[in-house]
Amino acid sequence: MSPLFDELRRNRLLWLLALVPVVLAAQAVRPQAHTLLFVLSVAAIVPLAALLSRATEAVAARTGDAVGGLLNATLGNLTELLIALAALRAGQYVLVKASIAGAIVANALFMLGASFLIGGLRYHVQEYNRNNARLQAGLLFLATVAILVPSVIGEADVTQAPAFTQMLSLGLSVLLIVTYALGLLFSLKTHREFFAAADHAQSGEREWPLTLALATLAGVTVLVALVSEIFVESVQHAGTALGLSPAFVGFIIVALVGGAAEMVSALSAARRNRLDLSVGIALGSAVQIALFVAPVLVLLSYLIGPAPMDLKFWQGAVAMMLIAAMTASLVTNAGKSAWFVGALVITVYLIFAMTLYLLPPRIP
Amino acid sequence: MSPLFDELRRNRLLWLLALVPVVLAAQAVRPQAHTLLFVLSVAAIVPLAALLSRATEAVAARTGDAVGGLLNATLGNLTELLIALAALRAGQYVLVKASIAGAIVANALFMLGASFLIGGLRYHVQEYNRNNARLQAGLLFLATVAILVPSVIGEADVTQAPAFTQMLSLGLSVLLIVTYALGLLFSLKTHREFFAAADHAQSGEREWPLTLALATLAGVTVLVALVSEIFVESVQHAGTALGLSPAFVGFIIVALVGGAAEMVSALSAARRNRLDLSVGIALGSAVQIALFVAPVLVLLSYLIGPAPMDLKFWQGAVAMMLIAAMTASLVTNAGKSAWFVGALVITVYLIFAMTLYLLPPRIP
Amino acid sequence: MSPLFDELRRNRLLWLLALVPVVLAAQAVRPQAHTLLFVLSVAAIVPLAALLSRATEAVAARTGDAVGGLLNATLGNLTELLIALAALRAGQYVLVKASIAGAIVANALFMLGASFLIGGLRYHVQEYNRNNARLQAGLLFLATVAILVPSVIGEADVTQAPAFTQMLSLGLSVLLIVTYALGLLFSLKTHREFFAAADHAQSGEREWPLTLALATLAGVTVLVALVSEIFVESVQHAGTALGLSPAFVGFIIVALVGGAAEMVSALSAARRNRLDLSVGIALGSAVQIALFVAPVLVLLSYLIGPAPMDLKFWQGAVAMMLIAAMTASLVTNAGKSAWFVGALVITVYLIFAMTLYLLPPRIP
């Protein structure tokens, strides 16, 4: 077990894991202390997510390129998926959709912008592989278009026929997952040489034994699922208590908590002048949520949700996703960055956050 | 006449021409057999369109660069124009607009994506003249913007004043045709050297005599006009009988039938690793419909339609055209392609087709 | 005073300054002759604006790079600001917003397109610094997004709660001004080497003494403010008398009058094959209005307006600004231009102008 302890000693963020039993105990003892449970569960999810992504990478490193790439591609946003599943099981579809849209926007704007800004404060100009960034931005744009169609068509007409939206969402979900699978075939098999620069290069750390990696992955998944349930239950109550609109809680808080682990990786890569990696994590994660997590949630809603979920989003969320995809595309087009580019992208995110913060409570 | 017979012997698609008399006879004998007439007229239009575009090229080859370029630029989408004219004369304005929007989307997404996919399955990476593609994509974007304005302004306010929309559509049509003419001046005269790569290079075939070419052009135009009338009359009835929504019939079926001939040329060019040609046909055809066919139909509606037609489109069609233009612009920006790019572009088209297929019948 | 007289002798446009006392006298004698006052005030503002921008440059040239850059960046659109302030004081918020949106669109489309066209008629192909154009286009896109948010969110829901829109506009204004200040820090200090090509290079003219420059700046500012007041009072009445819709007057006439001086500079640079300068003036001016003039007007409305002004625009204006930003971005992406590019960009502007001209009077 020593590589795990090594990791725990080296990475101080993981010391917060001590809060996992605390939050589980608190939930048993004081289930109505929503704000306390919210704060504790956030503080517990962040280190769990970091450990989860470390374990996924460790399994991936042991299982060879193809299986490993597949693992990273499906489990890379496991935390977001588990949080959304907890909300799905609770029937909180508005929260599920807000967390999907919020995660796409947070990755494509906040994570990308913060990487550019942090990197740019240290290096005058940073260059990165513009081909990979372009492909990811293109994928993100196309994924966003797919997600938008039911919302746009649904709004344009008074086609509020639930059967239509339901059927369309189901078909789109299948189409998105097939596209995602084809994308993996493309980037892991037929054209892998184009994506060489962006792989999660290892920093010479000791590798974990496979059994340890698998056991950690399984154990942490269960813990994240448990804490996510407490988080989802407490978040809206805590938001109300703290004077936050539900839209702000769903789009901003849940999305930032779910993506905290990748955020840490992306920013640390930017600080080491490895913007390729930062851009790959930020955009790749946004693409994965749009093309894989969102449709999987739609399909799972038929199995575990109280009712089927569709892909129809609040119109403000649609606008934000589209603007995020266009901004990411515009900004990564040049293949180089300076601090001001990061400041601008973060400003777009701040504009969204401010708008959501000020929104009256009944929306969306 | 032997070059024509040569062509008929070599090109098996043309054997379907035998169905032309069949469909005309069937219409005389059983005018109510809509589904039969629909199938027959589709099967007859496709070879007629192929022969029409062959004859146009033959006339163009005989009349020198300037006149020939002009001919290709005005008669290149003659089939689409004749089908739309048949619908216009029948007062089916919803169908006319759907076929215009559908043809733009089919060319910019399906034809482009299929070319990328077919070419990419054979060649690992294909490169093409990115300058030409960029100009075409830019033209397409600007043309789309022009078409969108009346719809967007009309929706934004409750300016349902028909006089306003009518006047605006008339003014826009004139503006679009002038722009198209200026574009021809630019690409055929003042800056022709930029467009050298994309001309429809001949494959060493025997050239047709001018009289034969002109006679074929005239004769086939009449036949296409006749069969188009049967097609337009039968298509919506057949759609209903086959369980297809009117939107799907207008946007997808009519557009694909009208563009079948160019589709064949674009795909065969992609298979021969001549993506320049494929991209030129796909985007050039979309531009031509937006900048020339659509405004000509508006102007002709004053002469031959039961009432003036305007340029106000259903909001879903507007969204599709805009997304198609943006996708084409994004995708052709790099000047190279692989199979997955084609798969993505086709996926966007499939998303639209699926949405239209599922739409309840009363829309648009 | 001789450099000023030199300028007056050399630049025939400035002879129109003789109309300044005429319009002030006419206003005193015949305050109801709106059409006359409108024509006179337009003819007087144009040379005043030219002199104002000449004096700003003269002060900037005397005060060194940093202060000078700051002056150009804040006073570069002083005429637009003074006209909008006159409308603000008169409580004509619809006109203020129309003039902001109109100035952005006029700069990003008409001024840019006219520069490309004029330059392209003289030179076969013109190249320019694509990096600078790209940054400006990116800034413009991001600024437009910021301005759009309140309008889009406001429309999407029935959040007509004025308190929400007001608070959001205030927050956005602060954010925009901070971004603008960061942008100045970036382009004038930390990364000034990237912007070297675009500075307003002096044409070897005699420099003005600082006192003369400052006195001219102060004096002309007062005159522009006085004439603007007459212009704002008369423009809508004159528009009605001339059969123009209020939308056309606000978006087109006011914007073109306010930007006439920069237009002259941009076109003359294009004619001298200095497209860098033209693109810099056109896009830089659009950016300045979006990121600086608009939020300053919101903040000033708390001090001098009859009521606070918000950033919520008419939906048609939002669409136009977004299309203008996208067009500018698309067109400047290549870093080279020919006459047809200019013709296309102007066509987009003509489409907008035609639409506004035909709009029924009650909109927006």
Side-chain angles (χ1 to χ4, degrees):
Chain A
M1 297 273 293
S2 106
L4 180 52
F5 287 118
D6 268 14
E7 188 79 28
L8 290 175
R9 209 166 334 140
R10 239 170 14 92
N11 187 342
R12 289 191 194 162
L13 181 64
L14 296 182
W15 297 2
L16 284 172
L17 287 172
L19 289 176
V20 176
V22 176
V23 66
L24 294 174
Q27 159 77 359
V29 181
R30 310 224 353 226
Q32 298 307 319
H34 294 303
T35 308
L36 177 74
L37 286 172
F38 164 72
V39 172
L40 284 174
S41 59
V42 167
I45 283 180
V46 171
L48 281 172
L51 196 56
L52 196 60
S53 87
R54 187 70 193 81
T56 309
E57 274 173 28
V59 175
R62 282 281 166 199
T63 48
D65 274 9
V67 180
L70 207 61
L71 267 170
N72 264 325
T74 46
L75 303 185
N77 284 296
L78 192 49
T79 309
E80 278 90 343
L81 186 59
L82 290 169
I83 294 178
L85 276 178
L88 192 68
R89 259 209 315 274
Q92 296 202 32
Y93 288 175
V94 170
L95 186 62
V96 175
K97 289 180 186 177
S99 78
I100 292 171
I104 293 172
V105 173
N107 285 317
L109 292 181
F110 186 71
M111 205 186 287
L112 189 71
S115 298
F116 283 162
L117 183 59
I118 299 272
L121 291 177
R122 203 175 256 211
Y123 304 93
H124 193 64
V125 172
Q126 292 184 293
E127 309 227 345
Y128 54 92
N129 180 354
R130 126 190 203 178
N131 286 323
N132 184 43
R134 235 185 211 172
L135 186 89
Q136 298 282 359
L139 267 170
L140 182 59
F141 173 73
L142 293 162
T144 315
V145 164
I147 291 195
L148 304 188
V149 168
S151 317
V152 170
I153 300 282
E155 294 289 332
D157 316 288
V158 206
T159 318
Q160 305 299 7
F164 163 69
T165 309
Q166 204 50 54
M167 195 66 126
L168 182 59
S169 301
L170 199 59
L172 280 176
S173 299
V174 173
L175 211 54
L176 287 174
I177 291 174
V178 170
T179 307
Y180 190 65
L182 288 176
L184 292 181
L185 183 68
F186 182 69
S187 63
L188 297 177
K189 199 149 174 91
T190 70
H191 288 65
R192 59 203 292 188
E193 75 277 10
F194 285 106
F195 301 86
D199 75 343
H200 296 231
Q202 273 38 45
S203 30
E205 290 164 8
R206 265 178 64 196
E207 288 200 356
W208 295 18
L210 184 57
T211 9
L212 171 63
L214 280 174
T216 311
L217 186 56
V220 176
T221 300
V222 172
L223 289 178
V224 174
L226 288 174
V227 180
S228 290
E229 215 138 319
I230 303 175
F231 175 65
V232 164
E233 257 173 55
S234 63
V235 67
Q236 292 294 21
H237 289 109
T240 313
L242 297 169
L244 302 175
S245 69
F248 186 82
V249 169
F251 278 92
I252 306 292
I253 308 256
V254 174
L256 289 183
V257 169
E262 290 114 51
M263 190 85 68
V264 171
S265 312
L267 294 187
S268 117
R271 214 178 288 115
R272 287 176 284 121
N273 204 13
R274 301 202 48 197
L275 264 195
D276 269 319
L277 203 49
S278 308
V279 173
I281 296 172
L283 297 189
S285 193
V287 166
Q288 195 178 43
I289 288 164
L291 281 177
F292 182 70
V293 172
V296 160
L297 286 168
V298 169
L299 297 184
L300 285 178
S301 74
Y302 283 82
L303 298 177
I304 63 169
M309 189 177 85
D310 60 40
L311 275 178
K312 197 167 157 193
F313 285 83
W314 170 54
Q315 205 163 324
V318 168
M320 284 185 222
M321 284 190 274
L322 195 55
I323 289 172
M326 286 169 70
T327 306
S329 173
L330 197 74
V331 148
T332 56
N333 195 26
K336 55 188 178 184
S337 157
W339 67 267
F340 187 56
V341 179
L344 277 174
V345 178
I346 289 183
T347 302
V348 177
Y349 190 72
L350 286 180
I351 290 171
F352 292 164
M354 183 192 286
T355 309
L356 293 167
Y357 182 79
L358 293 173
L359 267 188
R362 75 205 138 75
I363 289 160
Chain B
M1 294 274 295
S2 110
L4 180 53
F5 287 119
D6 268 14
E7 189 79 28
L8 289 175
R9 211 168 331 142
R10 241 171 13 92
N11 188 342
R12 289 190 195 164
L13 181 64
L14 295 183
W15 296 3
L16 285 172
L17 287 173
L19 290 175
V20 175
V22 176
V23 65
L24 295 175
Q27 158 76 1
V29 181
R30 309 224 355 225
Q32 297 307 319
H34 295 303
T35 308
L36 177 74
L37 286 172
F38 164 71
V39 172
L40 284 175
S41 60
V42 168
I45 283 179
V46 172
L48 281 173
L51 196 56
L52 197 59
S53 86
R54 187 70 193 81
T56 309
E57 275 173 28
V59 175
R62 281 283 165 196
T63 49
D65 274 10
V67 180
L70 208 62
L71 267 171
N72 264 324
T74 46
L75 302 184
N77 284 296
L78 190 51
T79 310
E80 278 89 344
L81 186 59
L82 290 170
I83 294 179
L85 276 179
L88 192 68
R89 257 208 318 272
Q92 297 202 33
Y93 289 175
V94 171
L95 186 63
V96 175
K97 289 179 185 178
S99 78
I100 292 172
I104 294 172
V105 172
N107 285 317
L109 292 180
F110 186 70
M111 203 186 289
L112 190 71
S115 299
F116 283 162
L117 183 60
I118 298 271
L121 290 177
R122 204 174 256 213
Y123 305 93
H124 193 64
V125 172
Q126 293 184 292
E127 310 227 343
Y128 54 93
N129 179 356
R130 126 187 204 182
N131 286 324
N132 184 42
R134 232 184 213 171
L135 186 89
Q136 297 283 357
L139 267 170
L140 182 58
F141 173 74
L142 293 163
T144 315
V145 164
I147 290 195
L148 304 187
V149 168
S151 316
V152 169
I153 300 282
E155 294 288 332
D157 316 287
V158 206
T159 319
Q160 305 300 9
F164 163 69
T165 309
Q166 204 49 56
M167 196 66 127
L168 182 59
S169 302
L170 200 58
L172 280 176
S173 299
V174 173
L175 212 53
L176 287 174
I177 292 176
V178 170
T179 307
Y180 189 66
L182 288 176
L184 291 181
L185 183 67
F186 182 68
S187 63
L188 297 176
K189 197 148 174 89
T190 72
H191 288 64
R192 59 203 292 186
E193 75 276 12
F194 285 106
F195 302 84
D199 75 343
H200 295 231
Q202 271 42 41
S203 30
E205 290 163 8
R206 264 178 66 197
E207 289 199 355
W208 296 17
L210 184 58
T211 8
L212 170 65
L214 281 174
T216 311
L217 186 56
V220 176
T221 300
V222 172
L223 289 178
V224 173
L226 288 175
V227 179
S228 291
E229 215 138 319
I230 303 175
F231 175 65
V232 164
E233 257 172 55
S234 64
V235 67
Q236 292 293 21
H237 289 109
T240 313
L242 298 168
L244 302 174
S245 69
F248 186 82
V249 169
F251 280 92
I252 307 292
I253 308 255
V254 175
L256 290 183
V257 168
E262 290 114 51
M263 190 86 66
V264 170
S265 312
L267 294 187
S268 117
R271 215 179 289 117
R272 288 176 283 124
N273 204 15
R274 300 201 48 196
L275 264 194
D276 270 320
L277 203 49
S278 308
V279 173
I281 296 172
L283 296 189
S285 193
V287 166
Q288 195 178 43
I289 289 164
L291 282 177
F292 182 70
V293 174
V296 160
L297 286 169
V298 169
L299 297 184
L300 285 179
S301 74
Y302 284 82
L303 299 177
I304 63 169
M309 189 177 85
D310 59 41
L311 274 178
K312 197 166 157 192
F313 284 83
W314 170 53
Q315 205 163 326
V318 169
M320 284 185 223
M321 283 190 274
L322 195 55
I323 289 172
M326 286 170 70
T327 305
S329 173
L330 198 74
V331 149
T332 55
N333 195 25
K336 54 187 177 185
S337 156
W339 67 266
F340 187 56
V341 179
L344 277 174
V345 177
I346 289 183
T347 302
V348 177
Y349 189 73
L350 286 180
I351 290 170
F352 292 164
M354 184 193 285
T355 309
L356 294 168
Y357 183 79
L358 294 172
L359 267 188
R362 72 203 140 74
I363 288 157
Chain C
M1 295 273 294
S2 108
L4 179 54
F5 287 119
D6 268 13
E7 190 79 27
L8 289 176
R9 211 166 333 142
R10 239 169 16 91
N11 188 341
R12 288 191 195 163
L13 181 65
L14 295 183
W15 296 2
L16 284 172
L17 286 172
L19 290 175
V20 176
V22 176
V23 66
L24 295 175
Q27 159 75 2
V29 180
R30 312 232 342 234
Q32 297 308 319
H34 295 302
T35 308
L36 177 74
L37 286 172
F38 164 72
V39 173
L40 284 174
S41 59
V42 167
I45 284 180
V46 172
L48 281 172
L51 195 56
L52 197 60
S53 86
R54 188 68 194 82
T56 309
E57 274 173 29
V59 175
R62 281 284 165 197
T63 48
D65 274 9
V67 180
L70 207 63
L71 267 171
N72 264 323
T74 45
L75 302 186
N77 284 297
L78 191 50
T79 309
E80 279 89 342
L81 186 59
L82 290 169
I83 293 179
L85 276 178
L88 192 69
R89 257 207 319 273
Q92 296 202 33
Y93 289 175
V94 170
L95 186 62
V96 175
K97 289 179 185 178
S99 78
I100 292 172
I104 294 172
V105 172
N107 285 317
L109 292 180
F110 186 71
M111 205 186 288
L112 190 71
S115 299
F116 284 162
L117 183 60
I118 298 272
L121 290 178
R122 204 176 257 213
Y123 304 93
H124 194 64
V125 172
Q126 293 184 293
E127 310 228 345
Y128 53 92
N129 180 355
R130 127 189 203 181
N131 286 323
N132 183 44
R134 234 183 210 172
L135 185 90
Q136 298 282 358
L139 266 170
L140 182 59
F141 173 74
L142 293 162
T144 315
V145 164
I147 290 196
L148 305 188
V149 169
S151 316
V152 170
I153 301 282
E155 295 288 332
D157 316 288
V158 205
T159 319
Q160 306 299 9
F164 163 70
T165 308
Q166 204 50 54
M167 196 66 125
L168 182 59
S169 301
L170 199 58
L172 280 176
S173 299
V174 173
L175 212 53
L176 286 174
I177 291 175
V178 170
T179 307
Y180 189 66
L182 288 176
L184 292 181
L185 183 68
F186 182 69
S187 63
L188 297 176
K189 197 148 176 90
T190 71
H191 288 65
R192 59 203 293 187
E193 75 277 11
F194 284 106
F195 301 85
D199 74 344
H200 294 231
Q202 272 39 45
S203 31
E205 291 164 7
R206 266 177 65 195
E207 289 199 355
W208 296 17
L210 184 57
T211 10
L212 169 65
L214 280 174
T216 310
L217 186 56
V220 176
T221 300
V222 172
L223 289 177
V224 174
L226 288 175
V227 179
S228 291
E229 214 138 320
I230 302 174
F231 174 65
V232 164
E233 257 172 58
S234 63
V235 67
Q236 293 294 22
H237 289 108
T240 313
L242 298 169
L244 302 174
S245 70
F248 185 82
V249 168
F251 279 92
I252 307 292
I253 308 256
V254 174
L256 289 183
V257 168
E262 291 113 49
M263 190 85 67
V264 171
S265 311
L267 294 187
S268 116
R271 213 177 290 115
R272 285 176 285 123
N273 204 13
R274 301 202 48 195
L275 263 195
D276 270 320
L277 203 49
S278 307
V279 173
I281 296 172
L283 296 188
S285 192
V287 166
Q288 194 178 44
I289 288 165
L291 282 176
F292 182 70
V293 173
V296 160
L297 287 169
V298 169
L299 298 184
L300 285 179
S301 74
Y302 284 82
L303 299 177
I304 63 169
M309 188 178 85
D310 60 40
L311 274 178
K312 197 166 156 194
F313 284 83
W314 170 54
Q315 206 163 323
V318 168
M320 283 185 223
M321 283 190 275
L322 195 55
I323 289 172
M326 287 170 69
T327 305
S329 173
L330 196 75
V331 148
T332 57
N333 196 24
K336 55 188 175 183
S337 156
W339 68 266
F340 187 56
V341 179
L344 278 173
V345 178
I346 289 184
T347 302
V348 177
Y349 189 73
L350 286 181
I351 290 170
F352 292 164
M354 183 194 287
T355 309
L356 294 168
Y357 182 78
L358 293 173
L359 267 187
R362 73 205 139 74
I363 289 160

mmCIF file with all atom_site columns, all heavy atoms in Angstrom, chain B residues 40-51:
data_model
loop_
_atom_site.group_PDB
_atom_site.id
_atom_site.type_symbol
_atom_site.label_atom_id
_atom_site.label_alt_id
_atom_site.label_comp_id
_atom_site.label_asym_id
_atom_site.label_entity_id
_atom_site.label_seq_id
_atom_site.pdbx_PDB_ins_code
_atom_site.Cartn_x
_atom_site.Cartn_y
_atom_site.Cartn_z
_atom_site.occupancy
_atom_site.B_iso_or_equiv
_atom_site.pdbx_formal_charge
_atom_site.auth_seq_id
_atom_site.auth_comp_id
_atom_site.auth_asym_id
_atom_site.auth_atom_id
_atom_site.pdbx_PDB_model_num
ATOM 1  N N   . LEU B 1 40 ? -41.502 7.018  -58.601 1.00 0.00 ? 40 LEU B N   1
ATOM 2  C CA  . LEU B 1 40 ? -41.103 7.080  -60.013 1.00 0.00 ? 40 LEU B CA  1
ATOM 3  C C   . LEU B 1 40 ? -40.454 8.422  -60.344 1.00 0.00 ? 40 LEU B C   1
ATOM 4  O O   . LEU B 1 40 ? -39.432 8.482  -61.047 1.00 0.00 ? 40 LEU B O   1
ATOM 5  C CB  . LEU B 1 40 ? -42.317 6.856  -60.912 1.00 0.00 ? 40 LEU B CB  1
ATOM 6  C CG  . LEU B 1 40 ? -42.807 5.409  -61.027 1.00 0.00 ? 40 LEU B CG  1
ATOM 7  C CD1 . LEU B 1 40 ? -44.097 5.366  -61.846 1.00 0.00 ? 40 LEU B CD1 1
ATOM 8  C CD2 . LEU B 1 40 ? -41.743 4.530  -61.668 1.00 0.00 ? 40 LEU B CD2 1
ATOM 9  N N   . SER B 1 41 ? -41.055 9.529  -59.821 1.00 0.00 ? 41 SER B N   1
ATOM 10 C CA  . SER B 1 41 ? -40.511 10.835 -60.196 1.00 0.00 ? 41 SER B CA  1
ATOM 11 C C   . SER B 1 41 ? -39.129 11.055 -59.582 1.00 0.00 ? 41 SER B C   1
ATOM 12 O O   . SER B 1 41 ? -38.246 11.621 -60.224 1.00 0.00 ? 41 SER B O   1
ATOM 13 C CB  . SER B 1 41 ? -41.479 11.950 -59.798 1.00 0.00 ? 41 SER B CB  1
ATOM 14 O OG  . SER B 1 41 ? -41.706 11.938 -58.413 1.00 0.00 ? 41 SER B OG  1
ATOM 15 N N   . VAL B 1 42 ? -38.926 10.579 -58.361 1.00 0.00 ? 42 VAL B N   1
ATOM 16 C CA  . VAL B 1 42 ? -37.585 10.664 -57.774 1.00 0.00 ? 42 VAL B CA  1
ATOM 17 C C   . VAL B 1 42 ? -36.595 9.900  -58.643 1.00 0.00 ? 42 VAL B C   1
ATOM 18 O O   . VAL B 1 42 ? -35.529 10.408 -59.014 1.00 0.00 ? 42 VAL B O   1
ATOM 19 C CB  . VAL B 1 42 ? -37.569 10.096 -56.335 1.00 0.00 ? 42 VAL B CB  1
ATOM 20 C CG1 . VAL B 1 42 ? -36.148 9.906  -55.857 1.00 0.00 ? 42 VAL B CG1 1
ATOM 21 C CG2 . VAL B 1 42 ? -38.325 11.015 -55.402 1.00 0.00 ? 42 VAL B CG2 1
ATOM 22 N N   . ALA B 1 43 ? -36.980 8.666  -58.994 1.00 0.00 ? 43 ALA B N   1
ATOM 23 C CA  . ALA B 1 43 ? -36.074 7.829  -59.789 1.00 0.00 ? 43 ALA B CA  1
ATOM 24 C C   . ALA B 1 43 ? -35.829 8.409  -61.175 1.00 0.00 ? 43 ALA B C   1
ATOM 25 O O   . ALA B 1 43 ? -34.816 8.103  -61.816 1.00 0.00 ? 43 ALA B O   1
ATOM 26 C CB  . ALA B 1 43 ? -36.650 6.418  -59.902 1.00 0.00 ? 43 ALA B CB  1
ATOM 27 N N   . ALA B 1 44 ? -36.737 9.265  -61.649 1.00 0.00 ? 44 ALA B N   1
ATOM 28 C CA  . ALA B 1 44 ? -36.537 9.885  -62.967 1.00 0.00 ? 44 ALA B CA  1
ATOM 29 C C   . ALA B 1 44 ? -35.767 11.194 -62.873 1.00 0.00 ? 44 ALA B C   1
ATOM 30 O O   . ALA B 1 44 ? -35.001 11.553 -63.771 1.00 0.00 ? 44 ALA B O   1
ATOM 31 C CB  . ALA B 1 44 ? -37.898 10.118 -63.636 1.00 0.00 ? 44 ALA B CB  1
ATOM 32 N N   . ILE B 1 45 ? -35.975 11.931 -61.773 1.00 0.00 ? 45 ILE B N   1
ATOM 33 C CA  . ILE B 1 45 ? -35.296 13.230 -61.659 1.00 0.00 ? 45 ILE B CA  1
ATOM 34 C C   . ILE B 1 45 ? -33.790 13.050 -61.519 1.00 0.00 ? 45 ILE B C   1
ATOM 35 O O   . ILE B 1 45 ? -33.002 13.802 -62.084 1.00 0.00 ? 45 ILE B O   1
ATOM 36 C CB  . ILE B 1 45 ? -35.869 14.044 -60.468 1.00 0.00 ? 45 ILE B CB  1
ATOM 37 C CG1 . ILE B 1 45 ? -37.216 14.646 -60.841 1.00 0.00 ? 45 ILE B CG1 1
ATOM 38 C CG2 . ILE B 1 45 ? -34.914 15.160 -60.068 1.00 0.00 ? 45 ILE B CG2 1
ATOM 39 C CD1 . ILE B 1 45 ? -37.854 15.446 -59.722 1.00 0.00 ? 45 ILE B CD1 1
ATOM 40 N N   . VAL B 1 46 ? -33.367 12.041 -60.762 1.00 0.00 ? 46 VAL B N   1
ATOM 41 C CA  . VAL B 1 46 ? -31.936 11.890 -60.473 1.00 0.00 ? 46 VAL B CA  1
ATOM 42 C C   . VAL B 1 46 ? -31.108 11.768 -61.764 1.00 0.00 ? 46 VAL B C   1
ATOM 43 O O   . VAL B 1 46 ? -30.156 12.537 -61.962 1.00 0.00 ? 46 VAL B O   1
ATOM 44 C CB  . VAL B 1 46 ? -31.705 10.734 -59.492 1.00 0.00 ? 46 VAL B CB  1
ATOM 45 C CG1 . VAL B 1 46 ? -30.223 10.445 -59.341 1.00 0.00 ? 46 VAL B CG1 1
ATOM 46 C CG2 . VAL B 1 46 ? -32.318 11.079 -58.139 1.00 0.00 ? 46 VAL B CG2 1
ATOM 47 N N   . PRO B 1 47 ? -31.458 10.855 -62.705 1.00 0.00 ? 47 PRO B N   1
ATOM 48 C CA  . PRO B 1 47 ? -30.652 10.799 -63.930 1.00 0.00 ? 47 PRO B CA  1
ATOM 49 C C   . PRO B 1 47 ? -30.814 12.042 -64.799 1.00 0.00 ? 47 PRO B C   1
ATOM 50 O O   . PRO B 1 47 ? -29.855 12.485 -65.449 1.00 0.00 ? 47 PRO B O   1
ATOM 51 C CB  . PRO B 1 47 ? -31.189 9.558  -64.649 1.00 0.00 ? 47 PRO B CB  1
ATOM 52 C CG  . PRO B 1 47 ? -32.553 9.371  -64.112 1.00 0.00 ? 47 PRO B CG  1
ATOM 53 C CD  . PRO B 1 47 ? -32.488 9.813  -62.678 1.00 0.00 ? 47 PRO B CD  1
ATOM 54 N N   . LEU B 1 48 ? -32.028 12.635 -64.798 1.00 0.00 ? 48 LEU B N   1
ATOM 55 C CA  . LEU B 1 48 ? -32.229 13.867 -65.562 1.00 0.00 ? 48 LEU B CA  1
ATOM 56 C C   . LEU B 1 48 ? -31.303 14.965 -65.047 1.00 0.00 ? 48 LEU B C   1
ATOM 57 O O   . LEU B 1 48 ? -30.686 15.701 -65.826 1.00 0.00 ? 48 LEU B O   1
ATOM 58 C CB  . LEU B 1 48 ? -33.685 14.331 -65.464 1.00 0.00 ? 48 LEU B CB  1
ATOM 59 C CG  . LEU B 1 48 ? -34.697 13.604 -66.355 1.00 0.00 ? 48 LEU B CG  1
ATOM 60 C CD1 . LEU B 1 48 ? -36.110 14.048 -66.010 1.00 0.00 ? 48 LEU B CD1 1
ATOM 61 C CD2 . LEU B 1 48 ? -34.410 13.879 -67.825 1.00 0.00 ? 48 LEU B CD2 1
ATOM 62 N N   . ALA B 1 49 ? -31.218 15.066 -63.704 1.00 0.00 ? 49 ALA B N   1
ATOM 63 C CA  . ALA B 1 49 ? -30.348 16.093 -63.116 1.00 0.00 ? 49 ALA B CA  1
ATOM 64 C C   . ALA B 1 49 ? -28.901 15.850 -63.513 1.00 0.00 ? 49 ALA B C   1
ATOM 65 O O   . ALA B 1 49 ? -28.154 16.789 -63.806 1.00 0.00 ? 49 ALA B O   1
ATOM 66 C CB  . ALA B 1 49 ? -30.505 16.098 -61.597 1.00 0.00 ? 49 ALA B CB  1
ATOM 67 N N   . ALA B 1 50 ? -28.495 14.574 -63.526 1.00 0.00 ? 50 ALA B N   1
ATOM 68 C CA  . ALA B 1 50 ? -27.117 14.259 -63.907 1.00 0.00 ? 50 ALA B CA  1
ATOM 69 C C   . ALA B 1 50 ? -26.866 14.668 -65.361 1.00 0.00 ? 50 ALA B C   1
ATOM 70 O O   . ALA B 1 50 ? -25.833 15.273 -65.687 1.00 0.00 ? 50 ALA B O   1
ATOM 71 C CB  . ALA B 1 50 ? -26.863 12.768 -63.716 1.00 0.00 ? 50 ALA B CB  1
ATOM 72 N N   . LEU B 1 51 ? -27.828 14.373 -66.242 1.00 0.00 ? 51 LEU B N   1
ATOM 73 C CA  . LEU B 1 51 ? -27.677 14.720 -67.648 1.00 0.00 ? 51 LEU B CA  1
ATOM 74 C C   . LEU B 1 51 ? -27.686 16.234 -67.835 1.00 0.00 ? 51 LEU B C   1
ATOM 75 O O   . LEU B 1 51 ? -26.918 16.795 -68.633 1.00 0.00 ? 51 LEU B O   1
ATOM 76 C CB  . LEU B 1 51 ? -28.818 14.080 -68.445 1.00 0.00 ? 51 LEU B CB  1
ATOM 77 C CG  . LEU B 1 51 ? -28.628 14.015 -69.955 1.00 0.00 ? 51 LEU B CG  1
ATOM 78 C CD1 . LEU B 1 51 ? -27.348 13.282 -70.325 1.00 0.00 ? 51 LEU B CD1 1
ATOM 79 C CD2 . LEU B 1 51 ? -29.820 13.320 -70.607 1.00 0.00 ? 51 LEU B CD2 1
#
